Amino acid sequence: MKIGALAKETGVSVRMLRYYEAEGLLAPARTSGGYRDYGSADRDTVERIKMLGASGMTLPVIQKFLPCALDTRGEFEPCDELTDILKEQMALVADKILRLQESHALLCELHAKVDNRSLDG
């Protein structure tokens, strides 16, 4: 499939797909005319990249983690050498959750003060 079709199927822009290729995350076959020819394995790889990105991983971390992908399933089996990266990513997400909870508490406090003012006036 051509790059535009892959972009449409995955919801990832053509520009980003080219970036993935430049970074070594994708290696599409080439037609005799030199055009990229993406297959279902490339589509699966893009979906894995999206899933890992949604978990908070950056592309450099995803580059290290992708080799642990199980090709036959949409799942991952952490490689032993990447267990530390996985733990680090979990800690980063936990920290983000804590900061969001603190932000939420502050917003609730401010909202309560605004509500009390409107009741007083």
Side-chain angles (χ1 to χ4, degrees), residues 9-79:
E9 277 192 30
T10 61
V12 174
S13 71
V14 168
R15 184 176 179 183
M16 186 58 74
L17 292 172
R18 287 186 182 126
Y19 180 71
Y20 290 168
E21 183 180 350
E23 293 297 311
L25 296 167
L26 286 176
R30 295 283 180 159
T31 66
S32 59
Y35 293 99
R36 292 170 180 87
D37 186 20
Y38 294 95
S40 61
D42 296 306
R43 184 184 57 242
D44 293 345
T45 298
V46 172
E47 293 300 332
R48 288 182 185 112
I49 292 168
K50 287 173 47 179
M51 181 180 67
L52 291 171
S55 75
M57 287 186 182
T58 62
L59 280 182
V61 173
I62 291 170
Q63 273 183 312
K64 294 176 185 175
F65 208 82
L66 266 183
C68 297
L70 299 176
D71 291 334
T72 57
R73 299 182 282 168
E75 299 176 13
F76 290 88
E77 183 174 289
C79 304

Side-chain angles (χ1 to χ4, degrees), residues 39-118:
S40 61
D42 296 306
R43 184 184 57 242
D44 293 345
T45 298
V46 172
E47 293 300 332
R48 288 182 185 112
I49 292 168
K50 287 173 47 179
M51 181 180 67
L52 291 171
S55 75
M57 287 186 182
T58 62
L59 280 182
V61 173
I62 291 170
Q63 273 183 312
K64 294 176 185 175
F65 208 82
L66 266 183
C68 297
L70 299 176
D71 291 334
T72 57
R73 299 182 282 168
E75 299 176 13
F76 290 88
E77 183 174 289
C79 304
D80 291 338
E81 62 273 12
L82 296 179
T83 301
D84 289 339
I85 290 174
L86 187 57
K87 287 179 184 177
E88 180 180 309
Q89 292 300 306
M90 290 167 42
L92 289 171
V93 170
D95 184 56
K96 285 179 187 176
I97 290 169
L98 180 61
R99 284 186 278 132
L100 285 170
Q101 287 172 332
E102 290 171 352
S103 295
H104 184 260
L106 176 62
L107 291 171
C108 287
E109 183 181 319
L110 292 172
H111 184 262
K113 286 181 182 182
V114 170
D115 277 353
N116 285 339
R117 278 178 137 175
S118 63

